Amino acid sequence: MASVNKVILVGNCGRDPEIRYLPSGQAVANVSVATSSRRKDKNTGESIEDTQWHRVTFYDRLAEIAGEYVKKGRPIYVEGRLKYGKYTDQSGVEKNTVDIVATELQLLGGREGMGGPAGDGDEGGGYQQAPRRAAPPPRAAAPAPAPRQAPAPRPASGFDDMDDDIPF
């Protein structure tokens, strides 16, 4: 039987990514993502915001992209899978962890707040859309397409004389 372990988050980054490299050279980036929902309190009727924090881990090229483009407060879309773990803290207490291992990343929102004028194209300036995966190598220039010829006349179908003023 097949199984599915998939998570989709749309939220705001709580901190800048921390990038490190494993001894194998593999890049790893960690970030916290906040998701919020609103509900009404049954007793008072006032709106309550419920915020959940998620630990997200990026690997390889996605980690490098996250390190370059993801910043604290930026909205992002993340797809990945849940990974459960355990560790023992300094006082000897065993703690459980839940991480999201990201497989997709999409930056959301506009260009504001990225450290410079929008769209100026310099290294630290404007916002650039991060690709979800590593881009394929550039292709050689394709030859210019041949000029188009007029389409051949179609045979009459009996519907050619109908009005285009259809009310639906």
Side-chain angles (χ1 to χ4, degrees):
M1 178 174 169
S3 60
V4 176
N5 178 358
K6 184 166 189 162
V7 175
I8 297 175
L9 295 177
V10 176
N12 293 321
C13 294
R15 58 186 167 93
D16 288 346
E18 299 171 8
I19 293 192
R20 63 188 191 284
Y21 291 88
L22 301 177
S24 65
Q26 181 181 32
V28 180
N30 295 97
V31 70
S32 295
V33 176
T35 57
S36 298
S37 60
R38 290 191 173 271
R39 62 181 174 85
K40 283 197 173 199
D41 185 288
K42 291 180 183 177
N43 300 326
T44 64
E46 69 181 73
S47 181
I48 298 173
E49 185 171 346
D50 182 29
T51 301
Q52 298 290 316
W53 287 95
H54 312 275
R55 292 175 13 160
V56 180
T57 304
F58 300 96
Y59 289 98
D60 299 319
R61 180 71 181 127
L62 210 51
E64 293 169 355
I65 292 169
E68 187 172 343
Y69 294 104
V70 174
K71 302 292 180 217
K72 179 180 179 178
R74 297 288 307 180
I76 62 171
Y77 168 93
V78 174
E79 277 186 35
R81 62 182 172 83
L82 288 174
K83 181 179 179 186
Y84 296 94
K86 291 183 181 185
Y87 72 96
T88 304
D89 69 7
Q90 294 175 347
S91 60
V93 178
E94 191 171 271
K95 304 271 185 169
N96 294 317
T97 62
V98 179
D99 289 318
I100 293 146
V101 178
T103 56
E104 300 282 333
L105 166 65
Q106 185 71 46
L107 300 177
L108 303 175
R111 300 176 182 210
E112 66 278 348
M114 289 300 289
D120 65 357
D122 67 300
E123 293 175 2
Y127 163 84
Q128 295 177 356
Q129 186 77 14
R132 288 184 179 201
R133 297 177 192 217
R139 296 183 195 167
R148 292 185 136 198
Q149 296 179 0
R154 296 186 316 204
S157 64
F159 294 104
D160 294 336
D161 60 345
M162 295 186 81
D163 278 31
D164 287 338
D165 298 332
I166 300 174
F168 53 88

